[in-house]
Amino acid sequence: FCLMAIPGKVSAFHLPPLPTVGEIIKLFRLKAQKQLSQNFLLDLRLTDKIVKQAGALKNAHVCEVGPGPGGITRSILSAGVEQLLLIEKDARFIPGLQMLSEAAPGKVRIVHGDILTYKMEKAFPDHLKRNWEDEPPDIHIIGNLPFSVSTPLIIKWLENLSKRDGPFTYGRTQMTLTFQKEVAERLTANPGSKQRSRLSIMSQHLCAVENCFVIPGQAFVPKPEVDVAVVHFTPLVQPKIQQPFELVEKVVQSVFQFRRKYCFRGIQTLFPENGRLKRTEELMMTANVDPTLRPFQLTMSHFRNLCNTYRKMCDEDPSLFVYNYREQLRQKKKLKNLLKSTRHPKQTEEENEL
């Protein structure tokens, strides 16, 4: 059969007759593993639709993350790509992917490895590199991500993007990825939305993020308990917060640490106990942020002001940035448990009676 990237248009590349994705699953006795949060997408109309969201892929270089049995892989090849890099952690899927590779000679490269540790700096030819200010390079990342890896992976890639390394060594590489519907809503949430979170700020200050469409859970095998959304990321030429990734992440994490309380409560955790109140007031006043706003009500401008002011405070007192509120809590708890274990048994009995 012939697969087409866009129904109604003649595809530049025709795959020879192949077993269906369902037949590949039976042939190699593939079973989705729940502990790896694997879900197969067998409907080729949906895989075509996902690939279409990536834009024009004719003669492009594509990296597909976690291709599994190869449903999206077929749609990518049918879009007429120049080269397709497949990164698959689960060895069970490699034989089926090799069958696809043989059907598209010279187009497919398979890497058996973990995307979280794979060095993307050398994934594509150097001639594809573009200046950051130019149009995005002819490179795309596409993936139906397992739920367990999607959030840590997008945070890792956002950090790469901020530092312009990894897949962004080549320029403003675009990404089209699947997430749980709820995570996709967080990625694209606006100020005031209850879904507004750390992910909203970290992604939107670096990218134009588009929630493309939702795939119902029943389209997957096995059916997940949630629906899935396709999200497209286009890196911005200028980030909305021009501070190092680690600093932005620290401020944003602190703000959302107590998401149901006033933002003042979370911002306090940026500072050691000694002088905490005074420094928090100074930060919020200089940044012009109302301390009674909830974290989800803060705009990108609020976060920009907070990050810029916090940076100045850290420049004046370098010990501020290394202060870690959660680590301090852990140390306190450790000390408390240690003291508890070294108490005299009689003393503990008397305390319990009291």
Side-chain angles (χ1 to χ4, degrees), residues 21 24 29 34 44 73 83 133 153 179 273 301 351:
V21 180
I24 291 278
R29 295 178 181 176
K34 193 172 182 180
L44 294 176
T73 313
Q83 287 287 323
E133 297 73 23
L153 183 56
F179 296 89
E273 283 179 280
S301 296
E351 284 178 354

Side-chain angles (χ1 to χ4, degrees), residues 246-281:
E246 292 82 2
L247 185 141
V248 178
E249 188 174 40
K250 186 180 181 186
V251 171
V252 173
Q253 273 186 331
S254 297
V255 170
F256 282 101
Q257 193 148 224
F258 302 97
R259 60 175 296 113
R260 295 186 181 184
K261 298 185 181 292
Y262 294 143
C263 63
F264 186 89
R265 179 68 186 91
I267 290 168
Q268 280 186 314
T269 64
L270 287 167
F271 304 105
E273 283 179 280
N274 186 21
R276 176 175 285 165
L277 187 61
K278 185 182 176 185
R279 281 175 154 173
T280 306
E281 287 173 348

